[in-house]
Amino acid sequence: MMRLPYFMFRAPRTVQEAAELLVSGEAMLVAGGTDLLPNMKRRQQVPRTLVGLRRVAELRGMSNGDELTIGAGVTLSEIVRSEQVRARYAGLWQAASQVATPHLRNMGTIGGNLCLDTRCNYYDQNYEWRKAIDFCMKKDGATCWVATSSPKCLAVSSTDTAPALIALGAEVTLTSATAARRIAVTALFHDDGMRYLTRRPDEILTSVHVPRLDGWRSTYWKLRRRGSFDFPVLSVAAAVRSAADGTIADARIVLGAVASQPIVAAGAASALVGAPLTDIQIALAANRASVPARPMDNTDFTLHWRKRMVNAFVTYALSELRGDDMRSVRYRIARQLL
Ligand SMILES: Cc1cc2nc3c(=O)[nH]c(=O)nc-3n(C[C@H](O)[C@H](O)[C@H](O)COP(=O)(O)OP(=O)(O)OC[C@H]3O[C@@H](n4cnc5c(N)ncnc54)[C@H](O)[C@@H]3O)c2cc1C
Ligand code: SF4
């Protein structure tokens, strides 16, 4: 049995108190703990102090005005239960509902999901396994075993909600003991498996803001080994807005799990604008979307197959946004019948 290392636990009641506890630089935040605690058991992350966020009431609410504001401590189950999210932000609803299992979604929060550690076959192992290969650059070692000449870690961004939120044009608020700043979700990430967040260690992700998005439709498609639960090895979030004449006025396509950060496939989205969602336009966008996808050989399935699947999954996503009935395709994917 893997045991947690010793650590101090602090349970602040306000964002200000929590932020002050981060100033020393030795503490880490824990929300649901569904990612961090297993990582601590594997000694991938060994903070001396954990700052628990579950008692911070300011982080718990969802409110709707000019935009939807979701507190970072809102659980994924609460998001899945929200009729409003389901009706207005289908892509976010689909992403949240495909994270892990119901038990983990009951504990896991949207803030923790956005700040989820990057993943790699050489890193997501217990201490003894990692020691046997002399560790790797991300923790305790010097070499990247995925690409030994790589100067940076290539671990994979595996958050489901980040691509969906980027496709919706969402922003997050980051709060420290002295200031708060608001940035686009896309600006929260670096393409570096070790320094994958632009969030400073003394900042708390306090809320997520999703614009009203009148007239937009969105969706999320996820490739994983087991349909019941698994991290994504490829995901596609897409959102489109149609003009009155039925042509596409605006589009966004975002790929997950094919790099150390979510990838905005801007070239693919621009191929859709100004035309209706015909099979030809969809094929053009799907071809372009695979260009920026650079899956590495450090997660499930072969990288060549995952790269090929980008085209297929963008096609599924855009066909669904056109109004095609894609339930049988979703069913086949969930049962590995691809
Ligand atoms: C078996 C299993 C399957 C899983 N499958 C998936 C999956 O399919 N898709 C997926 O996306 N995830 C998956 N996860 C990971 C995890 O359950 C979710 O990502 C969950 O949403 C994490 O949220 P949390 O609140 O538990 O985060 P925690 O574990 O508490 O924290 C995760 C990270 O975020 C930081 N953090 C937490 N809250 C904040 C905040 N407010 N501000 C700044 N930093 C913060 C923590 O310091 C830590 O680094 C899985 C986990 C397990 C164990
Ligand atoms: S990509 Fe390389 S450095 Fe990063 S976790 Fe994997 S083996 Fe380690």
Side-chain angles (χ1 to χ4, degrees):
M1 186 175 76
M2 288 191 290
R3 292 179 187 279
L4 282 168
Y6 285 102
F7 60 89
M8 289 265 291
F9 185 71
R10 309 293 297 268
R13 291 191 178 265
T14 64
V15 168
Q16 183 64 29
E17 273 178 58
E20 280 165 13
L21 290 166
L22 293 183
V23 172
S24 72
E26 293 195 340
M28 271 187 87
L29 296 167
V30 61
T34 61
D35 181 52
L36 182 57
L37 298 181
N39 283 5
M40 287 174 66
K41 288 184 178 178
R42 293 188 291 253
R43 306 303 191 261
Q44 291 158 289
Q45 287 163 316
V46 280
R48 293 169 59 161
T49 305
L50 283 188
V51 177
L53 294 177
R54 296 195 68 192
R55 290 188 171 184
V56 181
E58 291 157 79
L59 300 178
R60 304 277 315 163
M62 263 205 259
S63 65
N64 195 21
D66 286 346
E67 60 184 12
L68 173 70
T69 301
I70 308 173
V74 169
T75 66
L76 297 166
S77 291
E78 286 168 328
I79 290 174
V80 173
R81 279 199 298 269
S82 163
E83 284 305 324
Q84 191 204 4
V85 172
R86 187 169 192 169
R88 291 188 67 91
Y89 307 107
L92 174 60
W93 185 87
Q94 285 157 348
S97 63
Q98 291 180 70
V99 173
T101 63
H103 297 89
L104 290 161
R105 291 195 293 272
N106 285 344
M107 295 297 292
T109 62
I110 185 87
N113 192 250
L114 285 171
C115 298
L116 181 69
D117 196 9
T118 51
R119 296 182 61 80
C120 172
N121 286 344
Y122 295 91
Y123 170 73
D124 290 294
Q125 305 289 348
N126 65 31
Y127 182 83
E128 289 72 24
W129 194 103
R130 291 187 296 112
K131 187 176 177 195
I133 60 159
D134 202 16
F135 301 104
C136 80
M137 196 197 288
K138 186 160 159 75
K139 178 73 178 126
D140 297 327
T143 308
C144 172
W145 296 114
V146 176
T148 47
S149 59
S150 175
K152 69 169 185 174
C153 165
L154 303 163
V156 183
S157 168
S158 304
T159 150
D160 277 305
T161 62
L165 285 166
I166 292 172
L168 294 170
E171 298 183 340
V172 288
T173 298
L174 297 166
T175 307
S176 71
T178 51
R181 62 188 175 115
R182 188 164 153 162
I183 59 170
V185 175
T186 184
L188 180 64
F189 300 100
H190 276 309
D191 194 15
D192 180 325
M194 286 162 75
R195 285 164 288 276
Y196 56 95
L197 291 179
T198 60
R199 163 193 167 255
R200 294 195 317 260
D202 67 331
E203 286 178 319
I204 304 172
L205 194 162
T206 43
S207 48
V208 180
H209 313 273
V210 196
R212 272 185 64 90
L213 293 180
D214 291 329
W216 284 78
R217 304 186 299 286
S218 62
T219 187
Y220 182 78
W221 284 71
K222 171 172 176 174
L223 175 65
R224 53 184 164 177
R225 168 76 62 172
R226 293 166 293 192
S228 53
F229 81 103
D230 241 327
F231 284 92
V233 290
L234 162 68
S235 63
V236 173
V240 295
R241 182 171 63 84
S242 298
D245 63 1
T247 59
I248 297 299
D250 224 333
R252 297 187 197 120
I253 298 174
V254 185
L255 310 176
V258 288
S260 299
Q261 67 178 357
I263 299 291
V264 178
S270 66
L272 299 172
V273 175
L277 267 181
T278 59
D279 285 349
I280 290 174
Q281 292 307 122
I282 290 176
L284 187 61
N287 276 333
R288 284 197 189 175
S290 27
V291 176
R294 304 224 190 301
M296 300 303 295
D297 201 6
N298 58 350
T299 181
D300 207 352
F301 299 125
T302 66
L303 63 104
H304 302 292
W305 189 72
R306 283 163 60 214
K307 173 120 175 140
R308 269 203 287 131
M309 281 297 108
V310 173
N311 189 314
F313 273 58
V314 171
T315 305
Y316 301 150
L318 295 177
S319 303
E320 188 173 64
L321 291 179
R322 178 170 64 183
D324 295 8
D325 184 350
M326 300 300 288
R327 283 175 297 182
S328 65
V329 183
R330 281 200 186 269
Y331 179 88
R332 289 210 311 276
I333 290 171
R335 280 153 191 78
Q336 296 97 44
L337 300 173
L338 275 178

